[in-house]
Amino acid sequence: ALNDTSPYVEYWCRQKWRHIEAHADVDEFRAKTLTKEPFRYPQNGHVLYLEVGSKVHGPTCLFPGCSSGGCLRSSATGVVTVPAVQGRLLRFDGIMLHAVPRPTDLWLLP
């Protein structure tokens, strides 16, 4: 149904809600060994919220059209927030910057 023929997957889990800076997922081995080559990104990024603690409010924030940190300095940069809800599967373009702020209003603080 998702038309995804990728033969590879990277997965990890997090036991605690913590701040994760804006980043794009890249092939880290290739980035370190082929330093003159462009980054290689996954076709799609996914976040599966298996369990969400009662005190977890951290959304995943997506920055459409942004694949590098410099893009975030533009006043035209938008953000899409996706609340952490148990059982939710979030799928997005693999080149897109994404983050998890903690506290949730981190970027609005003075």
Side-chain angles (χ1 to χ4, degrees):
L2 296 176
N3 215 15
D4 192 342
T5 59
S6 250
Y8 304 104
V9 65
E10 173 190 61
Y11 63 93
W12 49 271
C13 71
R14 186 162 319 281
Q15 300 298 321
K16 295 182 179 184
W17 171 33
R18 66 181 193 126
H19 178 72
I20 300 177
E21 295 287 342
H23 68 283
D25 298 327
V26 298
D27 180 335
E28 294 176 20
F29 178 78
R30 177 185 164 105
K32 289 177 185 174
T33 57
L34 302 173
T35 57
K36 296 192 186 301
E37 296 294 318
F39 287 151
R40 183 168 60 187
Y41 303 91
Q43 180 178 341
N44 297 294
H46 299 85
V47 177
L48 175 60
Y49 304 91
L50 291 174
E51 293 181 16
V52 178
S54 61
K55 295 183 181 183
V56 174
H57 304 288
T60 299
C61 296
L62 305 172
F63 301 92
C66 287
S67 61
S68 69
C71 171
L72 296 176
R73 294 189 178 117
S74 168
S75 61
T77 299
V79 62
V80 175
T81 58
V82 181
V85 174
Q86 188 166 315
R88 172 173 279 159
L89 173 62
L90 167 62
R91 180 181 170 118
F92 54 93
D93 187 332
I95 199 170
M96 191 182 303
L97 285 182
H98 52 286
V100 179
R102 181 169 187 189
T104 54
D105 61 355
L106 177 70
W107 300 317
L108 304 174
L109 298 174

